[in-house]
Amino acid sequence: MAAPQETTPCTTCGGPGYVVEQVLGRPAQARRCDCQAACPRCRDTGFVLVPGPGGEKAQVCACRHLDARIVLFNKTGIPAAVAKASFEGFKVWSPDHSAAKRVAEDFARKFRSDAPSKGFLFYGRPGGGKTHLLAASLRWLTLEKGVACRYVEFMLLLSDIKAGFDSGRNQMEILKPLASVPVLAIDELGKERGTDWERSMLDELISRRFNNGLATLFATNYFLEARAAPEEPGARVATRSKDFQRDAEAMSLSQRVGDRIYSRLNEMCTFVKLDPGLDLRKDAHGAGGFWGK
Ligand SMILES: [Zn+2]
Ligand SMILES: [Zn+2]
């Protein structure tokens, strides 16, 4: 009897057959790993013959699923800063971090396109890894499960809505792609307050997704409760704009997005705190660039 074949995982991709590339200024892109350059199963025809009760039947080879998933990932719009974000690459250094990772990983692994699922909302100061976990979730969903996803930054979403409106497109046309994608991640929620009209469009978008049972994921730097404005030690002269900035940061999420949207978020998401848990001004090196936002 032949000895079981030793399969050493590919040193480039580690096994899954795809590689994610980081190109600054461009959304994350994946490609087939060189180990998958020529498919040994179908000889690159895209089909394999599988035996069945009525004789052999042609079936789409798994390598074509890989290509389709890579296309989904490449359309997601994951920002370059977190292009390589994954669950394995997420460093856990506090109970907040392990809880948030569990929620995101559970969501991604258990997600089913044919059943409504509750999304999640991460809140906390910048530097905790919120964007990393959003990106890791979308990576898993697209590349491992073949689920179409989109990532948008809140401010860009508002300006896209506005640009669409200015160019004469109607509400439906502007919102449709985002309203129908199976999983949508909205980052930096509340960063811009937006006009009443922009907020009503946002309300429309998330209500429509909610009514269609589609999951939406959020990250925001705002807390659920208004906070005391953080003191800035050693700052003798606070400029007006700095005061303004601190006041804005101290606002609660519902103050930023409005009660209507806030209560909708409550219905459709699990709220999870994900805060760096340390004073970022004192520890600028520890929690800085590597984690992205
Ligand atoms: Zn490989
Ligand atoms: Zn193949």
Side-chain angles (χ1 to χ4, degrees), residues 39 41-42 61 63:
C39 177
R41 286 179 300 270
C42 68
C61 179
C63 69

Short mmCIF file of all heavy atoms in Angstrom, two decimals, residues 39 41-42 61 63, ligand 2:
data_model
loop_
_atom_site.label_atom_id
_atom_site.label_comp_id
_atom_site.label_asym_id
_atom_site.label_seq_id
_atom_site.Cartn_x
_atom_site.Cartn_y
_atom_site.Cartn_z
N CYS A 39 -4.29 24.32 -12.96
CA CYS A 39 -5.08 23.46 -12.09
C CYS A 39 -4.84 22.00 -12.43
O CYS A 39 -5.07 21.57 -13.57
CB CYS A 39 -6.56 23.79 -12.22
SG CYS A 39 -7.57 22.71 -11.21
N ARG A 41 -6.47 19.49 -11.30
CA ARG A 41 -7.71 18.69 -11.32
C ARG A 41 -8.39 18.74 -12.68
O ARG A 41 -8.84 17.74 -13.20
CB ARG A 41 -8.67 19.18 -10.23
CG ARG A 41 -8.24 18.78 -8.83
CD ARG A 41 -9.21 19.32 -7.80
NE ARG A 41 -9.27 20.78 -7.84
CZ ARG A 41 -8.48 21.58 -7.13
NH1 ARG A 41 -7.59 21.07 -6.32
NH2 ARG A 41 -8.58 22.87 -7.23
N CYS A 42 -8.49 19.93 -13.27
CA CYS A 42 -9.27 20.06 -14.52
C CYS A 42 -8.38 20.39 -15.71
O CYS A 42 -8.89 20.58 -16.82
CB CYS A 42 -10.34 21.13 -14.35
SG CYS A 42 -9.67 22.80 -14.21
N CYS A 61 -15.12 22.90 -11.78
CA CYS A 61 -13.98 22.62 -10.91
C CYS A 61 -13.87 23.69 -9.82
O CYS A 61 -14.20 24.86 -10.04
CB CYS A 61 -12.70 22.58 -11.73
SG CYS A 61 -11.23 22.25 -10.75
N CYS A 63 -11.45 25.25 -8.85
CA CYS A 63 -10.57 26.38 -9.18
C CYS A 63 -11.37 27.55 -9.74
O CYS A 63 -10.99 28.70 -9.60
CB CYS A 63 -9.46 25.96 -10.13
SG CYS A 63 -10.03 25.56 -11.79
ZN ZN B 2 -9.63 23.34 -11.99
#
